[in-house]
C-alpha cells in the first residue's frame, strides 16, 4: 500500500517564506494536509471508472448520430448504438439473413422450395469493417480526462510508477470486459431499404432481365430483406485494450499538468518529443471539432436531409479530415467496388449465368482515385499540400516555443549553429510520419455484401475505401522535417525580434 503526501512550501532558516522582505511579518504556516492512503484496489477501480466514463461518452455520441440518421426506422436504436460503439475500437460486424418469405412470395425459387426454401433458399451475407473516428476520439479524450483527474493535483498528490501501472491495468481490464459485454449486446435485426432489394434483384444481370433476380422470383426478392447482425466480441475486446493503451500513452506524452513519475529516460522522451506530439494532436482535435460542432448544430436545427448529413458527419468528420489531410502528402485514396464472381465450375452458377445473359457475374470493377477527379488533379493536390504544410508549420512553431533548448539536441553528433533547429526537425518529422500513418490506417472502410444459393455464393459486391500507408509515411517524414526546421527557425527569429 502506498501513501500520497502533500507538498508544502519550503521555509527559510529565519522562519519566513523565501523571497519575503526582511523584517516582514512571517506568514503563518499552513498545517500539512493529512496523509491519504490510496491502495492498489482503489487505483484499479479509478482506472475502471475512467473507462466507464469514456464508454458512456462514446455511447452518447453514437446514439446522437444514429438519431440524426433516423436509424430507429430500420432496427433497434440501442442495438445499433452498441454496434457503432464497438466498431469505434475495431470491432468487426458480420450479418446474414434469408431473403425468402413474406406476404408476397408467390413465385420463382421461393415457391419451388415451398415458401421458406427449407434452408436452401436465397440468403444474404454482409461484413463491415470501419472505425467511426469521432466516437473513438471522444472516448479517448473522456478517458484521459477521467484517468488523469487525480494526477493533475500536482500540489497535493504525487503518484508512484507502481500506482500508475495499477491504474492503467485496471483501465485495460475494464475496457476488455466492458466491450465484450457491449459486443454481446450489439446484435439485432435491421430491415434493408428498398433500394438494396432492387439492386439484389439485378445480381447476375440487370433488374429487368431474366437473370438471377427473375429466377429467384418476384416474391422472394420483392420483400424487404431483414439482416441479422452481430459484432465479433474478440476483435472488440482486444481492440479496446489497444485503444486504452494508445490513449493513455499519448496522454502521458502530451500532458502538461499531470505529474508523472516516468523516470529519467522517459522524462527526457516526454520533454523532447511530447511538445511536438502535443501540438500535432491538439491541432488535429481542434480542426476536427470546429466543423463537427457547426455541422451538428445546423443539422439538428434544420432537420430533414441536412440532419441526416449531420448524423453522418458526426460519425465520420475525422475520417474525412484524415483523407483530405493526407492527400497532399502522397496518399493515394481509392474507392473501389469489386463484383463477387461465382465459380465457373459450378453447374448452378452456369445455369443462372445462362438465365442472366452473357454479362452475368462479369461486371467490371469500378475504381476511383481521388487524385484523378476531374475537379481536382494537380491543382487539388497543390492546394491540399499547401494547407497541410501551413498547418504543420504552425504546429512546429508552437512546439518549438514550448520545447526547451536542452531538449532540442539532434539525434546525431552534430553540434553546430543549426543543431537545435535540426533536432527539432528530426523529432517533428518522425512524429508527423507516425501520426499520418496512423490516420491513414484508421480512416479506411471496407464492406462485403453477397447473396448465396444452396450454400454457394452467386454474386455480390465488395466495396472498400483504402489507402496504402507507405507513401504517406515517407512524404510525411519529409514534409514534417521541412516544416519542423521552418517552425524552429521562425520561432528563433520572432524571439530575436522580440528581444
Amino acid at each position: 500500500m502506498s501513501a500520497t503526501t502533500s507538498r508544502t512550501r519550503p521555509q527559510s532558516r529565519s522562519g519566513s517564506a523565501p523571497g519575503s522582505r526582511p523584517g516582514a511579518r512571517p506568514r503563518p504556516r499552513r498545517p500539512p494536509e493529512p496523509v491519504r492512503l490510496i491502495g492498489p484496489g482503489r487505483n484499479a477501480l479509478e482506472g475502471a471508472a475512467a473507462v466507464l466514463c469514456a464508454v458512456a461518452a462514446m455511447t452518447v455520441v453514437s446514439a446522437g448520430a444514429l438519431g440524426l440518421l433516423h436509424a430507429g426506422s430500420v432496427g433497434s436504436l440501442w442495438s445499433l448504438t452498441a454496434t457503432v460503439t464497438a466498431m469505434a475500437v475495431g470491432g468487426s460486424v458480420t450479418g446474414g439473413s434469408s431473403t425468402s418469405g413474406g406476404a408476397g412470395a408467390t413465385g420463382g425459387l421461393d415457391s419451388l422450395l415451398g415458401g421458406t426454401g427449407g434452408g436452401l433458399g436465397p440468403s444474404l451475407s454482409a461484413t463491415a469493417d470501419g472505425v467511426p473516428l469521432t466516437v473513438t476520439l471522444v472516448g479517448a479524450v473522456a478517458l484521459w480526462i477521467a484517468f488523469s483527474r487525480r494526477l493533475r493535483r500536482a500540489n497535493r498528490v504525487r503518484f508512484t510508477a507502481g500506482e500508475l501501472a495499477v491504474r492503467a491495468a485496471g483501465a485495460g481490464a475494464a475496457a476488455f470486459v466492458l466491450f465484450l459485454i457491449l459486443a454481446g449486446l450489439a446484435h439485432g435485426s435491421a430491415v434493408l431499404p428498398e433500394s438494396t432489394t432492387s439492386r439484389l434483384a439485378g445480381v447476375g444481370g440487370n433488374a429487368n432481365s431474366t437473370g438471377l433476380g427473375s429466377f429467384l422470383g418476384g416474391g422472394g426478392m420483392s420483400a424487404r430483406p431483414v439482416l441479422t447482425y452481430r459484432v465479433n466480441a474478440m476483435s472488440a475486446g482486444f481492440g479496446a485494450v489497444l485503444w486504452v493503451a494508445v490513449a493513455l500513452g499519448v496522454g502521458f506524452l502530451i500532458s502538461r499538468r499531470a505529474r508523472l513519475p516516468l523516470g529519467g529516460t522517459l522524462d527526457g522522451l516526454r520533454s523532447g518529443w511530447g511538445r511536438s506530439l502535443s501540438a500535432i494532436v491538439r491541432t488535429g482535435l481542434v480542426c476536427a471539432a470546429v466543423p463537427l460542432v457547426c455541422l451538428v448544430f445546423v443539422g439538428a436545427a434544420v432537420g430533414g436531409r441536412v440532419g441526416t448529413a449531420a448524423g453522418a458527419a458526426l460519425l465520420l468528420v475525422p475520417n474525412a479530415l484524415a483523407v483530405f489531410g493526407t492527400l497532399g502528402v502522397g496518399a493515394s485514396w481509392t474507392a473501389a467496388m469489386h463484383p463477387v464472381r461465382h465459380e465457373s465450375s459450378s453447374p448452378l452458377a452456369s445455369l443462372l449465368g445462362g438465365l442472366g445473359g452473357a454479362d452475368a457475374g462479369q461486371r467490371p470493377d469500378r475504381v476511383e482515385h481521388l487524385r484523378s477527379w476531374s475537379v481536382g488533379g494537380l491543382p487539388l493536390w497543390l492546394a491540399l499540400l499547401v494547407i497541410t504544410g501551413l498547418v504543420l508549420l504552425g504546429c512546429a512553431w508552437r512546439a518549438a516555443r514550448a520545447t526547451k533548448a536542452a531538449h532540442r539536441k539532434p539525434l546525431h553528433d552534430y553540434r553546430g549553429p543549426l543543431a537545435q533547429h535540426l533536432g527539432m526537425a528530426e523529432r517533428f518529422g518522425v512524429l508527423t510520419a507516425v501520426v499520418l500513418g496512423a490516420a491513414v490506417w484508421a480512416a479506411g472502410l471496407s464492406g462485403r455484401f453477397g447473396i448465396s444459393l444452396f450454400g454457394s455464393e452467386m454474386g455480390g459486391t465488395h466495396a472498400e475505401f483504402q489507402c496504402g500507408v507507405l507513401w504517406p509515411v515517407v512524404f510525411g517524414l519529409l514534409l514534417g522535417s521541412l516544416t519542423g526546421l521552418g517552425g524552429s527557425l521562425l520561432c528563433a527569429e520572432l524571439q530575436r525580434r522580440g528581444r
Side-chain angles (χ1 to χ4, degrees):
M1 180 175 295
S2 60
T4 58
T5 59
S6 61
R7 297 173 59 205
T8 59
R9 181 177 296 178
Q11 301 291 327
S12 61
R13 294 182 180 179
S14 61
S16 60
S20 61
R21 292 176 299 174
R25 193 171 188 178
R27 297 178 181 178
R29 293 186 59 183
R30 292 182 179 180
E33 295 185 5
V35 176
R36 292 172 296 170
L37 300 178
I38 302 179
R42 183 173 178 180
N43 275 298
L45 287 177
E46 289 186 355
V51 173
L52 187 61
C53 294
V55 173
M58 297 166 73
T59 304
V60 170
V61 174
S62 301
L66 292 174
L68 290 173
L69 289 170
H70 307 289
S73 61
V74 299
S76 171
L77 186 60
W78 165 245
S79 299
L80 292 172
T81 299
T83 301
V84 173
T85 306
M87 291 180 68
V89 295
S92 60
V93 181
T94 58
S97 70
S98 175
T99 62
S100 58
T106 58
L109 185 62
D110 186 61
S111 299
L112 178 64
L113 294 177
T116 62
L120 300 177
S123 61
L124 305 179
S125 61
T127 60
D129 291 292
V131 179
L133 287 179
T134 301
V135 184
T136 307
L137 294 178
V138 167
V141 173
L143 172 64
W144 175 249
I145 291 175
F147 186 89
S148 63
R149 180 185 62 86
R150 193 182 293 274
L151 301 179
R152 292 193 297 271
R153 300 178 182 178
N155 58 338
R156 287 175 290 178
V157 177
R158 185 181 181 90
F159 278 80
T160 64
E163 289 175 319
L164 279 182
V166 170
R167 289 173 73 87
F176 183 79
V177 174
L178 282 176
F179 276 93
L180 284 182
I181 297 174
L182 201 63
L185 298 174
H187 66 87
S189 301
V191 181
L192 299 182
E194 295 180 359
S195 58
T196 305
T197 306
S198 62
R199 289 191 181 97
L200 286 175
V203 175
N206 56 55
N208 299 322
S209 68
T210 59
L212 178 57
S214 182
F215 184 71
L216 290 173
M221 294 302 292
S222 63
R224 295 177 65 183
V226 178
L227 189 69
T228 303
Y229 58 87
R230 63 184 182 276
V231 175
N232 189 321
M234 287 295 104
S235 64
F238 288 107
V241 175
L242 178 61
W243 166 72
V244 168
V246 173
L248 295 184
V250 173
F252 285 149
L253 286 177
I254 71 176
S255 177
R256 298 177 180 177
R257 297 176 57 189
R259 292 184 59 87
L260 304 171
L262 299 179
T265 303
L266 294 178
D267 278 336
L269 180 67
R270 183 187 179 196
S271 301
W273 298 77
R275 298 297 178 249
S276 297
L277 182 62
S278 174
I280 296 173
V281 171
R282 293 174 190 270
T283 302
L285 290 177
V286 171
C287 291
V290 171
L292 182 62
V293 172
C294 296
L295 288 172
V296 172
F297 179 77
V298 173
V302 175
R305 293 185 177 180
V306 180
T308 302
L314 184 55
L315 293 177
L316 300 176
V317 159
N319 297 66
L321 182 66
V323 171
F324 289 102
T326 55
L327 276 176
V329 293
S332 57
W333 286 96
T334 302
M337 294 186 66
H338 308 286
V340 178
R341 294 177 173 85
H342 54 70
E343 298 181 3
S344 59
S345 59
S346 173
L348 182 59
S350 302
L351 172 63
L352 296 178
L355 291 173
D359 61 341
Q362 301 300 324
R363 289 173 294 163
D365 295 343
R366 296 181 58 185
V367 180
E368 282 288 343
H369 299 281
L370 265 63
R371 292 187 300 179
S372 62
W373 282 357
S374 59
V375 297
L378 184 60
L380 175 64
W381 177 77
L382 288 176
L384 292 175
L385 177 62
V386 170
I387 294 173
T388 305
L390 290 177
V391 171
L392 290 177
L393 182 62
C395 294
W397 170 73
R398 182 180 175 184
R401 286 185 58 190
T403 305
K404 297 180 180 180
H407 300 128
R408 292 163 58 182
K409 296 179 181 179
L411 303 178
H412 45 79
D413 295 333
Y414 175 74
R415 295 295 183 267
L418 297 178
Q420 293 185 1
H421 306 303
L422 290 178
M424 190 70 200
E426 292 171 351
R427 291 174 174 82
F428 195 80
V430 171
L431 290 175
T432 301
V434 172
V435 171
L436 291 180
V440 167
W441 174 74
L445 304 170
S446 64
R448 183 184 179 94
F449 198 88
I451 183 168
S452 302
L453 288 174
F454 300 104
S456 299
E457 192 171 44
M458 293 295 103
T461 300
H462 175 70
E464 60 181 4
F465 184 68
Q466 301 287 349
C467 175
V469 179
L470 178 61
W471 285 114
V473 169
V474 173
F475 282 102
L477 180 63
L478 177 61
L479 182 62
S481 300
L482 293 177
T483 53
L485 179 62
S488 182
L489 292 173
L490 178 63
C491 179
E493 179 63 20
L494 292 179
Q495 288 179 349
R496 185 185 64 82
R497 291 186 179 185
R499 288 195 297 267

